[in-house]
């Protein structure tokens, strides 16, 4: 329901959620101050911030949720 209410995001960025790479999975609603990490139609993570442009979000605010696998010893 949340995705339908928000409509189309201003930008969809390639991202990682943990070790999972998600093409177009970081949905930026910069004017609303909301970013969602989405995979298979499900919201994995949500961030809120002071409203800004999608470009400014990507340059200055976008967090990295990527984790690297480390070999077992």
């Amino acid at each position: 329901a949340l995705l339908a209410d928000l409509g189309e995001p201003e930008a969809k960025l390639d991202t990682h959620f943990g070790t999972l790479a998600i093409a177009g999975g970081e949905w930026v609603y910069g004017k609303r101050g909301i970013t969602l990490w989405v995979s298979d139609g499900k919201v994995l993570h949500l961030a809120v911030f002071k409203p800004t442009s999608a470009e400014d979000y990507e340059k200055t605010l976008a967090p990295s949720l990527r984790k690297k696998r480390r070999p077992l010893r």
Side-chain angles (χ1 to χ4, degrees), residues 2-3 8 12 20 24 29 33 39 42 47 59 63-64 70:
L2 175 63
L3 297 177
E8 193 63 26
K12 290 184 179 180
L20 175 66
Y29 299 88
S39 180
K42 296 180 183 175
K59 289 178 187 174
S64 173
R70 299 188 187 237

Side-chain angles (χ1 to χ4, degrees), residues 11-60:
K12 290 184 179 180
L13 308 175
D14 293 342
T15 190
H16 283 81
F17 187 75
T19 58
L20 175 66
I22 308 171
E26 189 170 348
W27 293 20
V28 181
Y29 299 88
K31 293 176 184 172
R32 295 180 180 203
I34 301 170
T35 296
L36 305 174
W37 283 258
V38 179
S39 180
D40 296 325
K42 296 180 183 175
V43 176
L44 304 174
H45 190 76
L46 170 108
V48 295
F49 49 90
K50 182 178 176 182
T52 188
S53 68
E55 294 81 16
D56 190 49
Y57 167 85
E58 187 173 5
K59 289 178 187 174
T60 63

